[in-house]
Amino acid sequence: MSATHILVVDDEPDIRGLVQEILEDEGYTVAIAENGETARHALRDRRPDLILLDIWMPDIDGITLLKEWSEDDNLPCPVIMMSGHGTVETAVEATRLGAYDFLEKPLSMAKLLLTVERALEADKLQQENIGLKRRTPQVHEPIGRSASMQRLREQVKRIAQHDTWVLIMGEAGSGRETFARYLHSQSARRERPFVDLSVSSLAGGNAARELFGTEEGEHTHYGSLEKAAGGTLLLDEVADMELEAQLKLLGALDSGSFLRVGGNEPVRIDVRIVAVTQRNLEDEVRAGRFREDLFYHLNVVPLTVPSLQEHAEDVPDLLNFYLDYFATHEKLPYRRFSVGAQNFLRNYGWPGNVRELKNLVQRVLILGAGDEIGQKEVETALGAPPPIQVQALEGLVSFDQPLRTAREQFEKAYLDYQLEKHAGNVSKMAKEAGMERTHLYRKLRSLGIEIKERR
């Protein structure tokens, strides 16, 4: 498993050597670069988890490099600037371009280590929160005291101690991703990234770009396999992966390395694969829709998450968990379910599993009133979900701003509405919006809109 990797870019040999020695003593792996061109090559060789970047260098200054790296919307990792001759204007410019902090030389090693630690922690929290808006945050311990859930938790803890691939099966909404995250949190990879890749977005030529990344001139875009380096890559709904993408992934996993699109140097793989599916992969193999060799790679350790109906005795605990969550994190008024309502819900079929239960709790807290949630209110909420509210344009977009910003706000509101309307079905959404699916996926990603939470 890879340790946290830091790139130190500075033209002064003494500073490079000292910073490298201090960081390595703290358990980090360190690469060094003496100028801007060497730094570019270092980023192509391996994606760092953090960059320490000097401003004044003989060939390319640090601000120019920072601009170059931030052109693809986001920096590849946190960047901490260093300078002995910095000005307020320079520090402001670096911050505007996305630098995490600005350290003055001579460096205080205690302050350097503290800043590095904080930058890495802030980046980890940011990555964990990508796509988690309107969703329950990571649950380290899946909820439930039933025998089946206790057995599954213990099984996951044992598997986490071994670096095997895992296939998690179960119905949509049953908590498969929760168990994938729990497995990651119990493993030796817990301090490294957890990357969630929606397999349905890997269409045609897009598959190689998303998995392996690209090299275009001086720009390097890192794919999911590199973003998850040292950690866990979750392949969400792996049965949806096209055969061409399956072949490319299998080739990389067999060889232990891959080439970025447009690249010439192989990149080593150090990642644990956790695949999630609601379909029977053996049936998919027999039907010719899934490669048999990839299936055997993924099926080293299979886990099956039961539907909520199969452990209905956990419904009261789940209701209480989500009541507490929405009251604490979304400031909704706390209410309690009556005994009759709980009994009704224990005997309900739960076609949408835990996700349906979570949505129900949120709905009755938003729309209901009074301290107690009765059975009649629950029946009404289950039978008649609230309609999507269409807001007037003036309420969504301010006209007192640049056209580009206003257009982005409108596009985000429009696509959010379409996702809700079509319950996350991208094919239906693309048809109504009059967009090609691949272009629609790119647009959703550029606007920071997650798909899977609506399903």
Side-chain angles (χ1 to χ4, degrees):
M1 186 192 70
S2 303
T4 300
H5 182 62
I6 297 177
L7 173 62
V8 179
V9 186
D10 199 299
D11 64 330
E12 298 181 56
D14 290 345
I15 292 180
R16 286 199 309 274
L18 178 60
V19 172
Q20 181 180 19
E21 184 180 340
I22 294 293
L23 291 173
E24 287 179 343
D25 284 345
E26 294 295 315
Y28 302 111
T29 63
V30 182
I32 56 174
E34 67 271 16
N35 54 43
E37 191 58 36
T38 313
R40 285 171 172 165
H41 286 293
L43 256 73
R44 282 199 292 271
D45 291 340
R46 181 177 179 183
R47 176 182 177 270
D49 296 297
L50 182 139
I51 301 172
L52 289 163
L53 178 61
D54 189 23
I55 289 183
W56 307 115
M57 293 183 291
D59 59 343
I60 308 167
D61 67 88
I63 294 295
T64 298
L65 281 176
L66 196 62
K67 285 180 181 176
E68 185 180 294
W69 295 337
S70 63
E71 282 181 4
D72 294 329
D73 297 330
N74 292 302
L75 290 167
C77 63
V79 178
I80 298 172
M81 307 300 291
M82 306 182 294
S83 176
H85 309 283
T87 64
V88 173
E89 290 79 8
T90 307
V92 169
E93 176 69 359
T95 304
R96 186 186 69 80
L97 291 168
Y100 176 79
D101 208 341
F102 189 98
L103 298 177
E104 293 185 18
K105 296 178 180 177
L107 295 171
S108 159
M109 289 302 146
K111 184 175 182 181
L112 171 70
L113 290 174
L114 181 61
T115 306
V116 165
E117 185 180 334
R118 286 177 174 171
L120 290 169
E121 181 62 27
D123 185 59
K124 180 182 176 184
L125 290 172
Q126 182 183 12
Q127 295 306 315
E128 287 177 354
N129 281 308
I130 289 177
L132 292 182
K133 291 178 181 177
R134 299 179 300 273
R135 264 171 48 193
T136 308
Q138 178 178 344
V139 179
H140 291 283
E141 180 105 358
I143 305 300
R145 289 179 284 183
S146 62
S148 61
M149 291 298 282
Q150 291 187 50
R151 185 167 54 250
L152 193 54
R153 280 196 300 268
E154 289 304 313
Q155 198 175 356
V156 168
K157 287 179 183 177
R158 289 197 301 273
I159 294 169
Q161 307 314 308
H162 306 280
D163 216 21
T164 54
W165 295 14
V166 180
L167 177 65
I168 301 180
M169 297 168 286
E171 295 178 6
S174 59
R176 298 165 303 171
E177 184 185 335
T178 298
F179 273 100
R181 290 181 177 274
Y182 182 56
L183 185 147
H184 176 73
S185 74
Q186 297 296 306
S187 74
R189 295 178 178 269
R190 67 178 69 88
E191 299 302 325
R192 303 295 293 145
F194 179 95
V195 175
D196 182 354
L197 177 62
S198 177
V199 167
S200 57
S201 66
L202 302 181
N206 191 43
R209 299 175 67 89
E210 285 296 317
L211 285 168
F212 310 132
T214 61
E215 289 183 28
E216 299 172 9
E218 301 299 339
H219 298 287
T220 301
H221 167 74
Y222 301 103
S224 296
L225 283 167
E226 265 184 285
K227 291 177 182 176
T232 301
L233 176 62
L234 174 66
L235 299 176
D236 185 30
E237 296 301 348
V238 70
D240 292 339
M241 185 180 287
E242 294 181 355
L243 286 169
E244 182 183 354
Q246 293 177 34
L247 180 61
K248 290 176 179 177
L249 176 62
L250 183 64
L253 297 174
D254 275 339
S255 65
S257 65
F258 60 87
L259 291 176
R260 301 189 193 100
V261 176
N264 299 311
E265 295 296 324
V267 179
R268 297 295 302 170
I269 295 175
D270 174 20
V271 67
R272 178 185 213 155
I273 301 290
V274 176
V276 168
T277 181
Q278 58 180 304
R279 302 214 293 268
N280 186 315
L281 285 189
E282 292 183 85
D283 290 344
E284 297 297 304
V285 169
R286 283 191 287 270
R289 292 187 293 266
F290 202 85
R291 293 182 62 93
E292 186 176 24
D293 41 9
L294 180 58
F295 167 68
Y296 286 122
H297 265 290
L298 296 174
N299 199 40
V300 176
V301 181
L303 289 172
T304 300
V305 179
S307 66
L308 182 52
Q309 191 174 26
E310 293 176 87
H311 60 110
E313 60 265 48
D314 291 324
V315 165
D317 285 340
L318 285 162
L319 293 172
N320 288 328
F321 171 80
Y322 285 114
L323 285 172
D324 289 338
Y325 169 76
F326 287 119
T328 303
H329 296 279
E330 297 195 10
K331 308 304 179 187
L332 292 175
Y334 184 84
R335 307 175 69 200
R336 63 180 181 275
F337 285 89
S338 69
V339 174
Q342 291 186 52
N343 186 57
F344 172 80
L345 291 172
R346 283 189 61 163
N347 292 285
Y348 175 65
W350 296 113
N353 291 296
V354 177
R355 187 180 298 132
E356 183 183 6
L357 182 146
K358 172 199 159 190
N359 291 342
L360 168 70
V361 174
Q362 186 178 28
R363 188 179 300 138
V364 295
L365 292 183
I366 291 173
L367 299 178
D371 293 337
E372 189 172 83
I373 305 164
Q375 180 176 336
K376 186 174 181 180
E377 182 180 352
V378 165
E379 291 178 14
T380 301
L382 286 171
I388 299 171
Q389 298 296 318
V390 180
Q391 294 176 260
L393 182 63
E394 307 92 273
L396 293 172
V397 179
S398 168
F399 297 148
D400 299 318
Q401 59 183 332
L403 176 61
R404 179 179 177 181
T405 306
R407 184 170 61 243
E408 286 181 355
Q409 285 184 358
F410 170 76
E411 287 178 342
K412 188 174 189 306
Y414 173 80
L415 294 175
D416 264 324
Y417 168 78
Q418 293 293 346
L419 276 171
E420 291 292 344
K421 179 178 179 180
H422 297 293
N425 187 312
V426 177
S427 296
K428 292 181 181 178
M429 180 183 171
K431 184 176 180 181
E432 180 158 333
M435 298 174 71
E436 196 272 326
R437 278 185 65 180
T438 302
H439 177 63
L440 178 57
Y441 276 117
R442 284 199 299 268
K443 176 61 70 175
L444 291 168
R445 281 198 300 275
S446 71
L447 294 172
I449 299 174
E450 283 290 321
I451 303 169
K452 62 181 293 182
E453 65 194 78
R454 325 293 175 100
R455 292 175 182 168

